[in-house]
Amino acid sequence: MSSRIITWLRAALLACVVGLAGAPAWAAGSAEAAVAATAADGGLIQPGNNAEAFRSARRGEHQSITFAAPADRMLIQSEGQTWRMWRNGPITQWGGWLLAAVFVALVLFRLIRGRIDLEGAPTGRLIERFNRVERTAHWTLAVTFVVLALSGLTLLFGKHVIIPLIGYDAFSWFARLAKNLHNLTGPLFFASTVVFVLMFARDNVWQAIDALWIRKAGGLLTGEHVPSWRFNFGEKTWFWIGVVILGLLVGATGLILDFPGNGQTRQDMQLAHLIHAGGAILFIALSLGHIYIGTVGMEGAMDGMKSGYVDETWAREHHEYWYRQAKDATPARPAAPPRAAASATR
Amino acid sequence: MARMKFLCDAERCIECNGCVTACKNEHEVPWGIQRRRVVTINDGVVGKEKSLSVACMHCTDAPCMAVCPVDVFYRTEDGVVLHDKDACIGCGYCFYACPFGAPQFPQEGAFGQRGKMDKCTFCAGGPEADGSDAELEKYGRNRLAEGKLPLCAEMCSTKALLAGDAQTVSDIFRERVVRRGGAGAEAIGWNTAYGSGEQKREQTRGGDK
């Protein structure tokens, strides 16, 4: 009974994480509603109080410009202030603390739990986990992601973190490099996300056994091995919430910002930027967990993406159902250490 | 030290765009950039039409300065908000944040990539040496260093656009409001900020309107 409640609680937590991505859009909408509401009770305006004139000026009503500057067609735009408050407020501050907290949590996890080692001895028999096309798709996505994440974080936090270290002139040069890298890598990231999602969606569909993983929290704290098919529930969560929802959201809003002059207004770009930056912070926070477990956090986890082959022991311990299925599907491989196999496949 | 301000008198502005032209000519601004613009409200509606000339308002709490990721903005002793084009990376954040549409970008290179931001300097140039060629090339003329006020206001044919120390500008404006019997008072004062009440009655007793 209590295990069912815990399952529900975990699902609710997951929903909160997804919900956060949509929060800026909702908040911007409610701010507009608030402005409309105050304007609606215009009947209460006191004589001599000219606030309504300013409100209508900010709404841009009945305004015209003979020689319109390309940038602007209204007297005062208030949305910029909303954008500033969100960008300099929650996104920079909460976002920064969130990333720091995730990093500290991973360090603590490593110190307390240690590396997740193989329990059995490696058999030396290898099973193919990712073929060459899949690995190419993954590493294209991974490299573009890291470039974008680092350059994006430079633009958001550099003023507070890097300027004090390297100075104003050097940072300006560095930030220009970051901006151009970010703008040029962005479209490639979006394209590779789409390819990646199509390639891996099928094996990431939720399966009955995932309930067990949720109930045992993946055995992350207990050290118990929970069986799964090709991907366990943790990987699936990273896939659906990280790559699919946040990746496509951040990628699509990035394209809106990257290619101005296609009819998007400044307000569209402000909203796109808030979703882009907020989503990217969550995406980076999740990616830290993925990168940790894929590299230093678990013995043998890197092999699958490096060489394409994993040891049978690793497969049995971490993906038991998939192991039983794949063992029969893959032709028997000669016993060889993973490194030799890696060079052989190139 | 002075606190520089622009003020446009909506009762006087006739939408001639002389300020826009004066600015473009004085500073030789890049093609497609317009540091100043005239906005007309209720165009063609008799008795309700009002025009205002707008540029950078040199805010005290400047949003551009707050959001710039490379910190190129600075405030001079006269309260003028200036920026360093050499360090500008062309991200466009100041353009998102500014309420007055002051920051503008010349298009440069592929994908609508932005060049260095350009905006009104209150005719005060940039970080380069006052009156230097580099300053003229990047920011236009530095009239303040020559002891002159912004050209847009100097050339305004109806003297609707005022530029200068806040105290002097508001003294001129206050005198105008009193002389013409109140019109334009909505731009300043207690009532605009807080509505009617004791102050409204005092103002009426004082013979204003």
Side-chain angles (χ1 to χ4, degrees):
Chain A
M1 190 60 205
S2 67
S3 67
R4 178 162 296 179
I5 293 170
I6 289 169
T7 311
W8 275 109
L9 279 177
R10 289 216 182 92
L13 193 67
L14 218 60
C16 286
V17 173
V18 180
L20 271 180
W26 163 81
S30 66
E32 268 167 34
V35 169
T38 35
D41 47 40
L44 296 174
I45 284 170
Q46 301 127 323
N49 183 346
N50 208 35
E52 181 51 33
F54 280 93
R55 277 195 208 109
S56 82
R58 289 154 89 108
R59 285 194 297 269
E61 287 166 0
H62 319 298
Q63 292 177 6
S64 60
I65 303 173
T66 314
F67 304 109
D72 223 282
R73 295 181 195 286
M74 67 195 286
L75 188 61
I76 302 170
Q77 63 107 13
S78 304
E79 295 86 347
Q81 181 67 5
T82 313
W83 175 78
R84 170 191 170 178
M85 289 307 183
W86 276 93
R87 191 256 180 196
N88 281 11
I91 290 177
T92 306
Q93 289 167 17
W94 299 357
W97 288 117
L98 174 71
L99 293 181
V102 170
F103 187 79
V104 169
L106 286 172
V107 170
L108 286 178
F109 183 79
R110 171 77 197 211
L111 291 177
I112 295 168
R113 175 77 168 76
R115 191 172 78 150
I116 303 172
D117 286 324
L118 288 179
E119 279 173 10
T123 57
R125 287 189 299 278
L126 301 174
I127 300 180
E128 186 177 37
R129 183 152 168 81
F130 299 109
N131 64 36
R132 187 184 292 267
V133 180
E134 287 170 334
R135 276 179 285 140
T136 310
H138 174 268
W139 287 116
T140 311
L141 194 59
V143 169
T144 52
F145 177 87
V146 169
V147 169
L148 288 164
L150 292 179
S151 55
L153 291 174
T154 301
L155 294 177
L156 188 56
F157 298 110
K159 188 182 189 172
H160 312 290
V161 180
I162 309 179
I163 287 184
L165 292 179
I166 65 171
Y168 167 79
D169 289 315
F171 178 69
S172 163
W173 180 87
F174 186 60
R176 195 169 317 148
L177 180 74
K179 188 205 88 164
N180 287 319
L181 268 178
H182 201 83
N183 285 356
L184 294 171
T185 318
L188 182 61
F189 170 80
F190 184 74
S192 49
T193 304
V194 171
V195 171
F196 187 90
V197 168
L198 294 174
M199 201 175 277
F200 286 97
R202 205 171 62 101
D203 285 332
N204 275 291
V205 174
W206 291 295
Q207 288 149 313
I209 192 67
D210 293 332
L212 186 67
W213 195 95
I214 300 172
R215 220 173 301 143
K216 300 197 168 178
L220 280 173
L221 296 172
T222 56
E224 186 182 354
H225 285 306
V226 186
S228 71
W229 290 98
R230 190 177 182 201
F231 299 116
N232 65 35
F233 187 74
E235 291 168 296
K236 287 174 183 177
T237 305
W238 162 238
F239 178 80
W240 290 112
I241 293 181
V243 182
V244 178
I245 296 176
L246 293 174
L248 292 176
L249 194 69
V250 170
T253 49
L255 291 179
I256 295 173
L257 297 165
D258 205 358
F259 299 95
N262 288 300
Q264 64 269 56
T265 64
R266 180 163 47 172
Q267 284 73 26
D268 294 336
M269 292 170 84
Q270 289 161 352
L271 187 60
H273 178 273
L274 291 182
I275 297 171
H276 185 80
I281 292 277
L282 292 178
F283 199 10
I284 293 168
L286 289 176
S287 83
L288 290 177
H290 173 73
I291 293 169
Y292 169 78
I293 206 90
T295 53
V296 293
M298 180 189 281
E299 184 183 7
M302 191 71 172
D303 295 340
M305 261 312 161
K306 219 161 73 183
S307 64
Y309 291 90
V310 291
D311 195 273
E312 273 193 11
T313 309
W314 186 90
R316 197 184 63 248
E317 288 181 4
H318 294 292
H319 298 273
E320 200 180 335
Y321 288 15
W322 171 75
Y323 160 71
R324 282 190 233 145
Q325 180 194 37
K327 191 176 57 169
D328 306 327
T330 343
R333 290 262 148 195
R339 269 176 214 291
S343 50
T345 50
R346 288 220 178 88
Chain B
M1 220 51 214
R3 175 70 178 87
M4 291 301 181
K5 278 289 168 198
F6 280 123
L7 192 148
C8 185
D9 188 343
E11 301 300 314
R12 282 183 175 228
C13 180
I14 57 170
E15 199 201 353
C16 69
N17 281 288
C19 48
V20 178
T21 314
C23 173
K24 281 176 92 83
N25 192 60
E26 178 76 348
H27 301 300
E28 305 279 356
V29 290
W31 180 253
I33 302 283
Q34 200 171 307
R35 290 184 181 176
R36 180 167 280 287
R37 66 212 165 95
V38 178
V39 182
T40 303
I41 298 168
N42 298 319
D43 199 1
V45 182
V46 177
K48 285 186 142 185
E49 184 179 306
K50 294 275 193 286
S51 292
L52 284 164
S53 175
V54 207
C56 172
M57 300 295 270
H58 302 280
C59 308
T60 309
D61 174 22
C64 51
M65 199 183 275
V67 299
C68 179
V70 283
D71 232 355
V72 303
F73 292 93
Y74 63 100
R75 192 177 285 104
T76 68
E77 287 179 321
D78 295 328
V80 177
V81 175
L82 297 178
H83 68 294
D84 177 2
K85 278 195 182 186
D86 290 340
C88 172
I89 62 168
C91 65
Y93 287 0
C94 49
F95 156 79
Y96 297 161
C98 178
F100 307 108
Q104 290 166 42
F105 296 84
Q107 190 171 325
E108 190 181 79
F111 310 128
Q113 200 185 349
R114 298 181 184 94
K116 307 282 185 189
M117 189 273 275
D118 190 274
K119 76 169 189 72
C120 160
T121 63
F122 208 87
C123 288
E128 276 81 2
D130 287 345
S132 62
D133 287 345
E135 188 189 49
L136 180 67
E137 175 71 25
K138 289 178 201 160
Y139 308 93
R141 211 163 294 282
N142 189 341
R143 291 172 56 88
L144 242 55
E146 298 168 9
K148 300 168 184 167
L149 286 170
L151 192 66
C152 51
E154 297 279 286
M155 286 183 73
C156 179
S157 57
T158 60
K159 290 284 166 275
L161 185 61
L162 304 171
D165 181 32
Q167 199 54 53
T168 314
V169 166
S170 51
D171 283 347
I172 294 171
F173 188 68
R174 196 179 302 114
E175 196 188 332
R176 277 186 195 177
V177 169
V178 171
R179 277 176 190 271
R180 70 187 169 212
E186 60 269 26
I188 51 164
W190 184 276
N191 289 337
T192 294
Y194 305 112
S196 60
E198 200 59 33
Q199 280 68 27
K200 178 70 182 172
R201 258 172 267 132
E202 268 174 27
Q203 194 186 3
T204 318
R205 270 204 304 275
D208 187 11
K209 207 171 192 176

